[in-house]
Amino acid sequence: MLLDLRTITLSDLPSPKGHFIIGHYPQFKSSTKHQFLEDAVLTCGPLFTINLVGKRFVASAIPELNHRILKLRPQQFRRLPKIDSVLQEMGIKGVFNAEGEDWKRHRRLTAESLSTKKVKAYYPTVLQKCETLLHKFKTYATAGKQIDIQREFMLFTIDVTTAIAFGYELDAINEKDAIFQQHLEQIFAMVNERTVAPIPIWRFYKRKKDKQLQQSLHAIEKTIYSFIKHAKATLANHPERHQQPTNFLEALLAENNEGDFSDTEVYGNIFTMLLAGEDSTSSSLSWIIYYLSQHPEMIKKVRKEAFDCYPKTATPVSYEQHQQLSYANSVVQEAIRLHPTTTQQIVQANEDCTVLGLHIPKDTRLILLNRYPQRQDEYFDKATQFIPERWGADQCPMHRKHHPDIVKGFGGGPRFCPGMHLAMAEMTTMISMLCKHFDFSLSISPEAVTEKHSFIVYPENLYVHFTAVSSF
C-alpha cells in the first residue's frame, strides 16, 4: 500500500469524467461496469469516487483496506441496504441479506449445513450430475458439435443446486423441466436490474417484466414450500436423517431443532443457495475451460493426475479421491484469481470509523474492487498469465510474489461464502473428469470472448469443441 490513508479526505478524492446530472450511472448500469471501475483506477488512482444520480460511492482498489473492511463486517460495515430491500420485496430473507445479530443466527445454521462434513455427504449428488453431463458431452464430441459451454455448465449447476438444496431432481442437463430453470433466470436478472436502478419504478408501475417476475417468484415459492413440508415429514418419519441429512433443506431443518427459524427464513436460505450456487459456479467452470482450451499441456497434466488418482473409473468416485486432485484444484484457484465471479463488493458504513488511518463517515458507500489487485504484478508474478503451478505447495517458492490472501473469489472476513467447499468440490471434480475424457479447443478466437456483468460476471460468446481421447 503506497498511499498514506491518514492524509486523505474522502471529499477531496478524484473522480472519472461523468455526466453533470446523472454522473456515472450510464457506465455503472451497463454490462461492463466492472471494467469501467477498473479502468478508472488507471486514471484516478486506487481510491476515487463515482456519482450515481446524486449518490456518492467511494471505490477502493487497495487490497489491504478492502481486506480490513471485510473483516469489520457485520459490526461496522454492511451490505448496501438497497440489496436487502430488493430481496425482501421478493420475499427473500436469508444469510445473504441478513445483517447484525440476525446474520449471526442465519450464518450459524447455514455454515453447519454446508460444512465439509455435510459436503462430503452431498458428494454423490455432485458425482451423479457430473456423470450425466459427461454422457451428454460424449454425444457432442461424437457429433462434432460446437458447445455453448456457459449454458451447459449453467444447466449442470442448476441440477446440482436444486438436488442438494431440497432433493429436487430437475434434470436441466437433458433439457427437462425447463420452466423451473426459466423462472430462476427471470428472477436472477431482475435482482441485478433492481439493485442498480436509481428509481424503483416497479413500486409505482408494474411493467410486463415486473409482472413476469411476480409469476416466477410465485412458482418458485410454491415449489420450495412444498419441499419444506415434505422434508419435515421425512425427518419426522426417519429420525436418523437428523444425523445424516441427504440435502441442504434437511440439514437446515435438522439444525433448526429448537425452532428458531420460521419457514419464511428457511425458504430465504434455500433461495439464497439457488441464487449463489447457479451462476457463480457455472461462470467459474466456463473460464477454466476458456484457459485450458488454450493450454493443451495443462489438460494433459490434469489428465495424468486423474489417471493416477482414479485409473479404472470415469470419475473420482469418492470424496477422498476428489481431495487428492491437487493440480485440478490449482487450475480452479487460478481461474478464480483471474476471473472471480464477483469482481467487486458494495458495502456501507454503519458508524463513523477509521480504517488503516482513513476516516470513513457513517453511511459512506464503498465499492471494493477486489479483482483489480489480483491481476497486478505487485502481488503475483506474471499476474495476467494463467499459471496454475503458482498454487502448488512445491511450486510457490519459484514465484517471488504470491499473496493468496489478496484473492476474494469467495468474499472475505466473517461473511465469506459458506458454499465455498461445495463449489470447489463441484469444480475440481468436473474439471478433472473432463480433462480425463476430452481434449478441447475454442471454436472462436480468445479475443472474441467477452465479459458480461449481470448478477455475476460471466463469459459471453464462449464456444468450444470437445474431442474424445482414446486412452480411456
Side-chain angles (χ1 to χ4, degrees):
M1 181 173 62
L2 300 178
L3 292 176
D4 183 355
L5 298 179
R6 295 170 298 178
T7 66
I8 293 175
T9 302
L10 296 186
S11 59
D12 296 332
L13 288 175
S15 179
K17 185 177 180 180
H19 190 275
F20 177 70
I21 298 176
I22 60 177
H24 305 96
Y25 180 69
Q27 300 99 314
F28 194 78
K29 77 167 186 175
S30 74
S31 61
T32 57
K33 68 178 181 181
H34 59 299
Q35 294 169 344
F36 157 69
L37 291 168
E38 291 178 348
D39 288 344
V41 178
L42 302 177
T43 57
C44 298
L47 200 62
F48 58 93
T49 64
I50 64 168
N51 171 20
L52 302 181
V53 197
K55 294 181 179 179
R56 190 184 70 169
F57 289 73
V58 176
S60 167
I62 303 173
E64 297 87 353
L65 177 63
N66 296 355
H67 178 75
R68 185 59 183 162
I69 287 173
L70 290 175
K71 288 190 70 173
L72 292 173
R73 295 190 304 167
Q75 286 82 8
Q76 290 179 268
F77 293 90
R78 58 171 294 168
R79 289 191 191 276
L80 195 66
K82 186 175 182 179
I83 297 174
D84 178 47
S85 174
V86 167
L87 290 176
Q88 291 221 37
E89 280 183 337
M90 296 182 182
I92 304 165
K93 184 179 181 181
V95 67
F96 181 81
N97 57 318
E99 292 293 341
E101 292 301 316
D102 195 32
W103 169 78
K104 291 180 182 179
R105 292 172 56 246
H106 284 273
R107 177 69 182 197
R108 178 191 61 79
L109 194 66
T110 55
E112 178 56 34
S113 301
L114 287 168
S115 66
T116 303
K117 179 181 177 181
K118 294 295 195 305
V119 170
K120 185 176 180 180
Y122 304 150
Y123 187 72
T125 299
V126 173
L127 202 59
Q128 177 194 358
K129 305 307 177 185
C130 284
E131 291 170 346
T132 301
L133 191 61
L134 172 62
H135 176 75
K136 186 177 185 179
F137 281 176
K138 283 182 176 180
T139 63
Y140 284 169
T142 300
K145 182 177 179 179
Q146 177 178 269
I147 301 174
D148 180 348
I149 200 68
Q150 168 70 18
R151 173 169 172 74
E152 295 297 339
F153 282 145
M154 183 185 68
L155 298 176
F156 161 74
T157 53
I158 288 175
D159 271 359
V160 172
T161 306
T162 52
I164 289 178
F166 44 82
Y168 188 16
E169 294 298 331
L170 187 63
D171 200 15
I173 292 173
N174 291 313
E175 309 290 347
K176 305 282 181 67
D177 206 347
I179 294 178
F180 187 90
Q181 171 212 337
Q182 290 166 7
H183 285 316
L184 288 177
E185 291 179 4
Q186 169 76 13
I187 294 168
F188 297 158
M190 290 299 288
V191 168
N192 179 65
E193 179 178 317
R194 288 186 174 185
T195 54
V196 299
I199 301 174
I201 296 174
W202 63 91
R203 294 175 185 167
F204 311 104
Y205 172 72
K206 300 296 183 185
R207 300 157 294 180
K208 180 179 179 180
K209 57 186 175 182
D210 296 316
K211 295 176 182 178
Q212 290 173 337
L213 172 64
Q214 288 305 120
Q215 293 172 359
S216 293
L217 285 169
H218 177 73
I220 296 296
E221 183 178 297
K222 182 178 179 181
T223 299
I224 293 178
Y225 273 109
S226 70
F227 279 101
I228 291 175
K229 181 179 179 180
H230 180 267
K232 286 183 175 180
T234 298
L235 289 172
N237 294 328
H238 301 277
E240 70 278 5
R241 291 279 188 94
H242 283 267
Q243 300 302 318
Q244 294 180 314
T246 61
N247 56 61
F248 178 68
L249 174 55
E250 288 183 358
L252 276 178
L253 294 174
E255 291 297 325
N256 189 34
N257 51 20
E258 295 182 4
D260 294 337
F261 286 84
S262 66
D263 283 358
T264 301
E265 291 174 313
V266 172
Y267 164 77
N269 282 302
I270 291 294
F271 194 94
T272 296
M273 186 173 181
L274 293 175
L275 184 67
E278 180 206 331
D279 281 358
S280 57
T281 303
S282 62
S283 175
S284 293
L285 283 169
S286 299
W287 285 118
I288 295 168
I289 295 297
Y290 169 78
Y291 283 110
L292 288 180
S293 295
Q294 301 171 68
H295 292 281
E297 76 283 1
M298 294 181 186
I299 296 176
K300 291 178 181 177
K301 193 168 181 178
V302 177
R303 183 179 300 145
K304 181 182 183 304
E305 178 182 72
F307 274 98
D308 289 344
C309 180
Y310 52 101
K312 298 181 179 180
T313 57
T315 57
V317 295
S318 69
Y319 189 77
E320 289 70 25
Q321 282 185 334
H322 138 267
Q323 289 179 306
Q324 296 172 26
L325 302 172
S326 58
Y327 187 69
N329 182 277
S330 294
V331 167
V332 173
Q333 291 196 66
E334 181 69 345
I336 290 173
R337 180 185 72 83
L338 285 169
H339 281 283
T341 55
T342 303
T343 60
Q344 70 245 346
Q345 292 173 268
I346 305 178
V347 299
Q348 183 167 315
N350 291 328
E351 58 190 41
D352 290 350
C353 57
T354 300
V355 183
L356 299 183
L358 179 68
H359 177 64
I360 302 175
K362 180 181 178 180
D363 294 331
T364 298
R365 308 174 190 89
L366 299 106
I367 306 174
L368 311 181
L369 305 181
N370 294 326
R371 183 176 78 169
Y372 185 85
Q374 295 173 191
R375 295 177 161 193
Q376 300 304 306
D377 289 337
E378 181 179 353
Y379 301 102
F380 293 95
D381 282 337
K382 301 178 181 178
T384 59
Q385 296 183 30
F386 186 76
I387 308 174
E389 287 75 13
R390 73 172 84 242
W391 296 96
D394 59 339
Q395 297 293 330
C396 286
M398 69 178 286
H399 299 285
R400 293 188 301 275
K401 295 176 183 176
H402 184 74
H403 298 274
D405 56 307
I406 294 296
V407 178
K408 304 299 181 190
F410 291 98
R415 295 198 65 150
F416 77 92
C417 175
M420 178 181 68
H421 298 299
L422 177 59
M424 289 299 296
E426 287 182 60
M427 291 187 285
T428 303
T429 301
M430 174 61 73
I431 293 305
S432 177
M433 178 194 74
L434 291 181
C435 289
K436 184 172 186 179
H437 292 270
F438 304 102
D439 286 323
F440 30 91
S441 59
L442 294 177
S443 302
I444 56 175
S445 69
E447 295 75 22
V449 179
T450 58
E451 291 184 326
K452 184 172 182 179
H453 193 293
S454 181
F455 190 74
I456 51 91
V457 177
Y458 64 90
E460 193 171 40
N461 197 38
L462 177 53
Y463 295 92
V464 297
H465 274 103
F466 277 32
T467 303
V469 295
S470 58
S471 55
F472 184 81

